[in-house]
Amino acid sequence: MNFLKRISKEFTGLKTIVLSLVLLNLISIASLYSSLHQQGQFVGGDFFSKQLTWIAFSWIVFIIFNFINYRLYYNLSFIIYTLSIILIGAVYFTGHEAMGAQRWLSIGGFSFQPSELSKLAIIIVMARFFSHPPANNFLKDFFLPFSFVGLSAFIIFSQPDLGTAIMVILIAFAIGLFSKVNKKYFVWVLIAVLIAAPFSWTFLKSYQKKRLTAFVNPNIDPLGSGYTIIQSKIAIGSGQVFGKGFLAGTQNQFNFLPERHTDFIFTVIAEEWGFLGSLFLLFIYWLIIKKIFDRLKKIRDPFAYYLTVGIGIYFFLHVFINIGMTLGIFPVVGLPLLFVSYGGSHLISSFILLGIFFNISRNYK
Amino acid sequence: MLFNPKSFFSKNQSSVKLLKRVVLISFSLLLLVLFNYQITKGSYYLRRAQNNYVRVIPLYSLRGSIFDRNGVVLAKDMASFNLAVFPYQIKNKKDSLFKKISQDLGLDQKIIYKNYKKNLRGFFSPTNIVTNISKKKALHLKEAYPKSLSINPTPQRKYLRPLETAHILGYVKKASSLKKQLKKYGYKPLERIGIYGIEQYYDSYLKGKNGGDLIEVDAAGNVVGFLGRKRAYRGKDIYLTIDSRAQEIAKKSLNKRKGTIIFLDSNSGEIITLYSSPSFDPNLFIKGKDLGSIYKNKASPLINRATQSTFPVGSLIKPLLAIAGLQENKIKPTTTFNCKGHLVLGSNRFKCWGTHGVQDLYQALAHSCNIYFYKLGLIIGPKKISSWAKKFGLDSKTFIDLPYEKKGFVPSPQWKKDKFNQSWYAGDTLNLSIGQGYLHTTPLAITLAINSIANQGYLVEPILLKEVEDAEASLAFRRTLNIAGENLKIVKKGLRKTVNQSSGTARILKNLSLEISGKTGTAQTSGRSHGWFVGFFPYKQPKYTISVFLENGGSSHQALRIAYSFLDKLKRNNIIK
């Protein structure tokens, strides 16, 4: 009993998050199970058992990261960054096997998407840069940190994975806006990028142009992405207030929705659990993000502070953009729903980030 | 420097509030949109979901054809006939139907079930149960079961010169047989995607655009309406720079021996022949048959030896070394070294393959005298040799328009120190000077390096694409190496002597009367030596460059004989004049 009490004390103010996580896991399992059905038949193969393995594995990772002192990432920040570059580079060079889709590295039977790791690395590197007072010098304050971001984003973009590349830039930019760096730099750079974009084509070498002409352009659907969005809207809308019930979503069950177990998992939830279910899910997300930002007022270390800001922003952007995408607010880019979509890479990196946050929290109770 | 904690953390409180507000507003926005869809318009969407299920049946595009430089078809799509069922139509009579079909065709029922399971994509998609049958049989069965069966002709890739062009063209596969992540890039499971070769490199041109039929089905799964069709667009045709006749001659000349023949336009870099032996039949990949014979073959037929394997180059490095020596002002063409058949260095004897006596640069090239180039190498020094080999592109990709190109390797004293923690010995320099030891590169890279002597010092980028239907393609690219014209002339003259001098190493090519200049090479390896020949012609203004490589071919002599037979047949067939 003493032991339990100690644990409980250790996690003051964090129990809500743990509870929310368990709920999200359950929602994920249920909606995945449903999305793998077609006309009452289970068609998922080993997807389901794989995801259960991922979830179990993520919890182990989560617990381990709870016990790693977050200051370690300060010291290791550039090593972590370099590792992330090597891994995404490795995919670029060795991942050729998958023909045009080079995002995965395969370890054992499971494949891993190293671009997820680079989001993590960027948060850590940004937190390190911004934890020192700015020098009021464009090169030191802005150019240096963002050249790290640029390199990561560029390699991820050429894999090609536009969604993650944009995400990396958005996260870094958001942390940057929150830092003490002079905000006018951000405005300058935005303007410069807008002006420079059309000219960059002329600087490419002939073979680069050749490569670009042969570059496989990912288009989303034979009848345009409109089809996916219309089907997604019908699924969500027809869920009405209370939803159609578990395994009863017709849009889902009749295979109308592509990618419904990964990026479009939200449509399955909204169709089967209705507005109330969606509201509940959003509430859980909001709760987690709020708890993360609430902790900021207790933190007394700038590095921990910006790490926490980065983690909160990462969670927020993933939820907002993914759900916004299924609702047709944002264009369809490949992006999973936080803690819920099928897939191991994003699950593990989200759990790692949360593990880091828990460690910070226990240092600043 | 560090922040002052007090001011840092107190000042930030307002921006934290702002951040939380942004999150709250964003989530409220999502809720607002959700409210609009699920509550305000909920019954409308429910009606749409109940009454009208819109379904897409994909129409797959035809891939563009691939032609050679003379318009000969190398690859095209042909129709193959399949029998398909719509699962929703045969819900209850599946077993009896499959039994009847298996009896009619004399086909094992298990195969039909296996196909059905494998090809099932959804209840409203045509699902192939019997594939690749004759048109007659297909029509016959359709007549017997008009309501349950449909004929589903699908395009199948056919390679018309399979063995001759396998490494250049590559092949296609159904996206479903590849990793499922391809779906993210818009590939449909049955869509074909280029694997390897031109099929992969120019997949975006060749693949065309898929269309689809938009149909309405009701809740019971019956088709109630046809909403429209988006037509599929055929992929673009591609014309290559290769000459299929020359490919065939190359295949015959190599006659299944391991090696490569490369034949290109010296000035533009257009590849006229690129043949790697042994080859394979890409049609087997399309049919999915007898692949074991390809995978198990110890000679690795899938590897394009011209671009994907690296080898020591032997004496082919000598003309490059000669240029380095002239450019660095270490020698003049008249500088002589005396060949006594060997060179003693410390306790080691380094041999020449003959005893050539006093040699100037021209004679040394004509005779491929090792002693001359040992001494030249020692004068130039390993660092300079290394940097010249790199300048000639021996350790970089040639950027030919084929996937998975490998690059070679050029050693340097610094590399040896970093890698083995050993210093660079004079013996290493000697080995490097005759293309032995650590240096290795692809046949294509060394061919282009020597080709720069033929075209006034340009490293050209090799190209296989001549034209794309309805598109401008001007892809020629070359880079000058900044070598004095005088020096190029000297080496070119030396290379001419290998052929037209009676003691020259490539004298057997004189009979062809093509005014060839070139260089032979025999590279020692752990097994039998590799045989090399790279040359160009005509002498005054070279138009063509040829290279023959024989893996474990024994000696350069074998390579020369193959070069002779190849060029002789090109001439007889009027492919060159």
Side-chain angles (χ1 to χ4, degrees):
Chain A
M1 284 315 281
N2 242 350
F3 175 71
L4 281 179
K5 253 184 208 161
R6 233 182 65 209
I7 295 255
S8 166
K9 212 176 152 194
E10 187 76 353
F11 290 93
T12 319
L14 294 174
K15 273 164 273 181
T16 326
I17 295 185
V18 175
L19 187 70
S20 307
L21 261 188
V22 174
L23 279 174
L24 285 178
N25 282 162
L26 293 177
I27 292 172
S28 166
I29 292 168
S31 51
L32 179 67
Y33 185 75
S34 175
S35 73
L36 294 175
H37 275 72
Q38 249 183 54
Q39 295 213 326
Q41 283 181 336
F42 185 77
V43 291
D46 61 347
F47 276 40
F48 192 64
S49 55
K50 259 193 181 169
Q51 191 60 12
L52 290 180
T53 320
W54 279 123
I55 290 175
F57 184 63
S58 302
W59 274 93
I60 298 171
V61 172
F62 174 55
I63 291 166
I64 293 171
F65 274 82
N66 255 287
F67 293 103
I68 301 174
N69 188 295
Y70 74 90
R71 285 299 301 181
L72 185 69
Y73 312 122
Y74 181 90
N75 301 328
L76 293 182
S77 51
F78 294 116
I79 295 173
I80 294 171
Y81 176 81
T82 314
L83 187 75
S84 79
I85 291 291
I86 290 172
L87 281 177
I88 48 178
V91 179
Y92 190 68
F93 290 111
T94 65
H96 269 297
E97 300 295 322
M99 310 309 145
Q102 302 161 354
R103 303 178 192 178
W104 272 258
L105 267 189
S106 212
I107 305 156
F110 292 92
S111 36
F112 182 73
Q113 212 178 339
S115 52
E116 283 294 338
L117 175 68
S118 57
K119 287 187 219 165
L120 230 133
I122 284 298
I123 292 177
I124 292 171
V125 169
M126 290 295 111
R128 176 173 177 149
F129 273 115
F130 298 135
S131 65
H132 297 284
N136 274 324
N137 175 325
F138 176 76
L139 285 181
K140 276 187 194 159
D141 294 349
F142 190 95
F143 184 78
L144 185 63
F146 277 92
S147 50
F148 283 78
V149 180
L151 180 64
S152 286
F154 177 75
I155 301 178
I156 296 167
F157 169 72
S158 33
Q159 285 182 1
D161 182 354
L162 184 62
T164 312
I166 291 175
M167 208 61 194
V168 164
I169 294 172
L170 274 182
I171 292 172
F173 230 77
I175 305 176
L177 280 175
F178 206 75
S179 73
K180 304 283 178 198
V181 173
N182 197 332
K183 299 301 173 294
K184 71 180 178 210
Y185 298 153
F186 291 84
V187 181
W188 289 355
V189 168
L190 270 180
I191 294 170
V193 167
L194 288 178
I195 294 172
F199 292 104
S200 50
W201 176 256
T202 39
F203 289 105
L204 295 176
K205 285 189 177 153
S206 89
Y207 73 82
Q208 286 170 323
K209 283 184 187 169
K210 206 157 92 185
R211 290 283 138 98
L212 277 176
T213 12
F215 183 74
V216 180
N217 190 16
N219 52 38
I220 291 144
D221 199 87
L223 296 180
S225 56
Y227 170 78
T228 317
I229 289 303
I230 289 168
Q231 293 304 330
S232 171
K233 279 184 190 170
I234 292 178
I236 293 171
S238 64
Q240 293 185 295
V241 183
F242 300 105
K244 295 174 187 168
F246 185 50
L247 294 184
T250 47
Q251 287 294 103
N252 166 28
Q253 294 286 311
F254 278 93
N255 194 13
F256 283 89
L257 285 164
E259 296 297 328
R260 61 185 182 281
H261 62 291
T262 56
D263 297 352
F264 278 82
I265 193 87
F266 179 74
T267 55
V268 177
I269 299 171
E271 186 186 12
E272 298 191 345
W273 303 104
F275 183 73
L276 291 182
S278 318
L279 183 70
F280 181 63
L281 183 71
L282 276 174
F283 176 74
I284 298 176
Y285 283 130
W286 177 77
L287 204 61
I288 295 177
I289 295 164
K290 181 183 175 300
K291 287 276 168 197
I292 291 172
F293 287 141
D294 278 349
R295 186 63 60 160
L296 285 173
K297 61 174 176 280
K298 292 190 181 163
I299 293 174
R300 284 293 169 271
D301 167 10
F303 178 64
Y305 193 86
Y306 286 116
L307 266 185
T308 309
V309 168
I311 292 166
I313 285 173
Y314 173 100
F315 284 7
F316 163 65
L317 283 177
H318 270 78
V319 174
F320 186 52
I321 295 182
N322 177 280
I323 296 183
M325 182 176 95
T326 63
L327 291 173
I329 302 175
F330 298 119
V332 178
V333 289
L335 199 76
L337 180 60
L338 192 72
F339 293 119
V340 174
S341 279
Y342 173 80
S345 314
H346 89 276
L347 195 64
I348 289 183
S349 39
S350 312
F351 264 99
I352 288 177
L353 286 173
L354 208 57
I356 295 173
F357 169 70
F358 268 42
N359 185 274
I360 293 172
S361 303
R362 286 162 51 208
N363 276 294
Y364 298 99
K365 270 181 256 187
Chain B
M1 213 173 79
L2 293 172
F3 280 111
N4 173 4
K6 243 186 196 167
S7 65
F8 177 83
F9 294 105
S10 60
K11 272 186 191 163
N12 267 358
Q13 281 317 311
S14 58
S15 35
V16 172
K17 258 184 206 154
L18 182 70
L19 198 58
K20 282 191 205 163
R21 210 163 292 161
V22 169
V23 174
L24 205 61
I25 290 171
S26 308
F27 277 31
S28 310
L29 175 72
L30 292 181
L31 277 179
L32 210 67
V33 178
L34 274 168
F35 187 90
N36 180 32
Y37 289 152
Q38 298 192 292
I39 297 176
T40 319
K41 293 187 191 160
S43 50
Y44 159 72
Y45 280 118
L46 185 63
R47 232 179 314 131
R48 278 191 72 175
Q50 279 170 344
N51 301 335
N52 290 313
Y53 296 150
V54 181
R55 192 78 191 102
V56 180
I57 296 175
L59 290 171
Y60 294 106
S61 61
L62 284 175
R63 269 180 98 77
S65 303
I66 304 175
F67 299 91
D68 84 346
R69 68 187 300 133
N70 304 314
V72 178
V73 190
L74 303 176
K76 66 173 179 180
D77 274 356
M78 313 252 251
S80 93
F81 290 91
N82 308 300
L83 286 177
V85 293
F86 285 88
Y88 73 89
Q89 285 178 336
I90 58 155
K91 260 183 204 164
N92 307 315
K93 48 186 177 178
K94 192 168 88 185
D95 293 329
S96 63
L97 179 72
F98 285 6
K99 201 173 168 189
K100 277 186 217 153
I101 294 170
S102 92
Q103 280 163 358
D104 282 1
L105 284 173
L107 195 72
D108 191 352
Q109 216 168 310
K110 276 182 200 154
I111 297 177
I112 298 180
Y113 276 101
K114 211 175 120 191
N115 282 335
Y116 178 76
K117 221 176 152 187
K118 191 176 85 185
N119 297 324
L120 185 65
R121 304 276 165 238
F123 275 68
F124 310 106
S125 308
T127 305
N128 285 344
I129 54 167
V130 182
T131 53
N132 246 329
I133 60 169
S134 73
K135 196 174 175 182
K136 207 174 145 191
K137 271 187 190 166
L139 286 170
H140 170 77
L141 275 164
K142 168 77 186 162
E143 242 166 65
Y145 311 102
K147 278 192 179 161
S148 325
L149 283 181
S150 65
I151 298 178
N152 186 20
T154 47
Q156 195 174 46
R157 202 65 164 163
K158 171 97 181 157
Y159 298 98
L160 293 114
R161 314 254 163 159
L163 289 164
E164 289 84 351
T165 58
H167 292 109
I168 296 175
L169 299 190
Y171 51 93
V172 294
K173 255 188 178 177
K174 289 203 183 95
S176 61
S177 63
L178 297 162
K179 301 204 169 157
K180 34 189 179 294
Q181 41 265 38
L182 276 176
K183 255 174 111 179
K184 289 216 169 180
Y185 297 89
Y187 286 99
K188 293 281 152 188
L190 292 177
E191 187 177 350
R192 292 162 305 156
I193 173 170
I195 301 285
Y196 203 57
I198 290 292
E199 293 270 29
Q200 178 183 345
Y201 200 92
Y202 292 116
D203 192 54
S204 53
Y205 286 137
L206 289 165
K207 77 172 182 179
K209 228 174 159 178
N210 292 324
D213 280 344
L214 210 54
I215 57 164
E216 257 180 321
V217 290
D218 63 17
N222 301 311
V223 177
V224 292
F226 180 79
L227 292 178
R229 163 173 289 189
K230 188 171 169 186
R231 59 168 287 218
Y233 288 91
R234 195 176 174 280
K236 287 194 173 7
D237 288 343
I238 275 185
Y239 291 80
L240 299 181
T241 58
I242 59 165
D243 186 320
S244 58
R245 293 170 300 169
Q247 288 291 130
E248 196 180 336
I249 293 170
K251 177 181 157 239
K252 278 188 187 149
S253 305
L254 275 169
N255 192 21
K256 289 184 183 161
R257 296 172 65 172
K258 285 189 282 182
T260 63
I261 292 183
I262 301 167
F263 188 63
L264 68 143
D265 183 311
S266 313
N267 301 297
S268 68
E270 282 185 10
I271 302 276
I272 300 163
T273 306
L274 188 142
Y275 183 74
S276 170
S277 174
S279 185
F280 63 96
D281 182 350
N283 290 317
L284 296 182
F285 282 98
I286 306 298
K287 292 177 193 148
K289 273 189 200 158
D290 302 326
L291 293 175
S293 64
I294 296 176
Y295 289 126
K296 280 181 198 153
N297 189 335
K298 283 198 178 122
S300 319
L302 280 176
I303 290 179
N304 183 349
R305 290 176 154 72
T307 59
Q308 296 178 308
S309 305
T310 59
F311 304 95
V313 296
S315 304
L316 292 187
I317 196 131
K318 288 173 183 170
L320 308 183
L321 203 66
I323 286 183
L326 293 166
Q327 282 290 115
E328 301 282 342
N329 287 322
K330 302 286 185 191
I331 47 163
K332 284 184 184 140
T334 49
T335 310
T336 58
F337 294 110
N338 191 3
C339 169
K340 291 178 192 157
H342 65 265
L343 180 76
V344 178
L345 194 80
S347 56
N348 293 320
R349 275 163 76 94
F350 287 82
K351 280 186 197 158
C352 187
W353 62 278
T355 307
H356 297 109
V358 176
Q359 300 276 294
D360 64 8
L361 180 59
Y362 302 115
Q363 291 308 312
L365 282 169
H367 299 142
S368 195
C369 174
N370 284 354
I371 303 298
Y372 184 96
F373 286 96
Y374 286 151
K375 291 186 175 167
L376 177 56
L378 289 173
I379 298 174
I380 302 173
K383 273 190 202 158
K384 284 255 165 68
I385 299 177
S386 176
S387 79
W388 272 95
K390 284 179 182 168
K391 198 170 170 188
F392 277 111
L394 298 190
D395 72 337
S396 33
K397 291 188 179 179
T398 66
F399 294 111
I400 188 170
D401 36 1
L402 286 177
Y404 315 129
E405 188 186 0
K406 275 229 170 89
K407 47 188 180 186
F409 174 75
V410 172
S412 68
Q414 188 59 43
W415 163 80
K416 199 182 172 195
K417 192 147 188 260
D418 295 342
K419 173 104 187 179
F420 300 115
N421 197 19
Q422 277 176 9
S423 34
W424 182 272
Y425 301 113
D428 291 325
T429 307
L430 298 194
N431 274 332
L432 184 57
S433 307
I434 58 161
Q436 295 288 155
Y438 304 113
L439 183 136
H440 54 91
T441 192
T442 62
L444 185 59
I446 185 70
T447 305
L448 292 167
I450 294 179
N451 182 51
S452 68
I453 299 167
N455 67 17
Q456 271 113 43
Y458 287 97
L459 206 55
V460 294
E461 200 171 281
I463 180 86
L464 285 162
L465 181 69
K466 191 151 181 79
E467 229 178 280
V468 180
E469 184 189 357
D470 310 326
E472 294 273 324
S474 164
L475 301 161
F477 181 75
R478 56 184 203 171
R479 178 157 61 82
T480 177
L481 293 169
N482 292 319
I483 298 167
E486 190 54 36
N487 292 339
L488 286 166
K489 256 187 201 163
I490 293 165
V491 175
K492 202 167 135 191
K493 195 171 157 193
L495 294 182
R496 178 78 185 115
K497 286 186 192 295
T498 64
V499 177
N500 72 357
Q501 191 170 298
S502 60
S503 59
T505 49
R507 57 188 174 272
I508 66 161
L509 298 181
K510 199 176 174 185
N511 277 344
L512 285 171
S513 52
L514 284 170
E515 293 182 49
I516 300 175
S517 321
K519 185 76 201 76
T520 56
T522 304
Q524 281 154 20
T525 60
S526 49
R528 285 185 77 198
S529 303
H530 300 316
W532 287 98
F533 175 73
V534 180
F536 45 83
F537 59 90
Y539 177 61
K540 279 223 171 106
Q541 272 189 331
K543 270 160 66 183
Y544 300 110
T545 297
I546 175 175
S547 120
V548 176
F549 164 70
L550 271 186
E551 187 177 336
N552 306 118
S555 71
S556 60
H557 189 66
Q558 298 296 326
L560 272 174
R561 290 172 70 115
I562 288 171
Y564 185 96
S565 123
F566 176 73
L567 293 173
D568 188 40
K569 282 183 192 137
L570 286 190
K571 226 173 107 181
R572 280 167 204 266
N573 286 290
N574 286 322
I575 297 171
I576 50 171
K577 272 149 207 147

